[in-house]
Amino acid sequence: MVTLLLDSTQLEIVLSGAERVLAFHKGNVAIERSTIAKVQLTDDAWTWLRGFPSPGTHVRGVIAMGTWRSSAGDDFAIVRRHRPSVVIDLNGHPEYERIILTTRHGLQLVQALRLDVDTQAVDVVDLATGTIPVEPAPTKKKARKRKAPSPAPAT
């Protein structure tokens, strides 16, 4: 697993020695927070890969590490098996258009990246209706008395 370091100015993807070798990448990947356009969570990062690894390592369904080149731009991927992942779209980054990472901490990353947003998060119900519907508290129902079964007729 990659290690993600986040501060007020940048997100740094710290690669282990094995990840550096498989990704053909000499150092960590630093991303300025101002270049992050969108962050998405996905259950299957393989659907987000586009192009071909150059340089990088690709074993179908097992690992995809390195730079992926396509006509849409270069992406950086660290993908292992079919695990939860994060897709980070970038705008104005000098090297990459997208970062695709397999990580267990995707939700925490999304929440941490949203901390500096000026407006508070709005509930979807607020956006749709303007108010939050409140359900009345459940009331206890009276237990109904059941009739005792009548004895079977004697034959």
Side-chain angles (χ1 to χ4, degrees), residues 28-154:
N28 299 333
V29 178
I31 304 165
E32 293 294 323
R33 285 183 78 157
S34 61
T35 63
I36 297 174
K38 182 170 47 171
V39 180
Q40 302 174 65
L41 300 175
T42 181
D43 288 334
D44 189 10
W46 295 95
T47 60
W48 290 89
L49 292 175
R50 56 187 181 183
F52 58 94
S54 175
T57 302
H58 179 226
V59 178
R60 184 177 296 227
V62 180
I63 62 167
M65 294 189 188
T67 301
W68 288 72
R69 300 200 190 281
S70 72
S71 60
D74 294 347
D75 298 342
F76 183 77
I78 299 288
V79 178
R80 289 184 180 88
R81 305 229 180 247
H82 294 277
R83 295 184 179 152
S85 304
V86 173
V87 179
I88 304 170
D89 289 323
L90 306 174
N91 189 7
H93 191 272
E95 292 181 75
Y96 302 112
E97 296 291 321
R98 183 187 288 169
I99 307 291
I100 305 165
L101 302 171
T102 302
T103 179
R104 285 181 250 150
H105 306 293
L107 184 58
Q108 291 87 352
L109 175 64
V110 171
Q111 290 171 343
L113 287 171
R114 296 196 66 173
L115 287 178
D116 61 349
V117 176
D118 293 336
T119 59
Q120 291 292 326
V122 180
D123 190 12
V124 175
V125 175
D126 282 342
L127 292 174
T129 63
T131 60
I132 298 176
V134 179
E135 293 183 23
T139 57
K140 290 186 176 181
K141 293 184 179 180
K142 292 182 181 179
R144 295 188 328 190
K145 292 184 179 179
R146 296 186 178 217
K147 283 178 36 178
S150 57

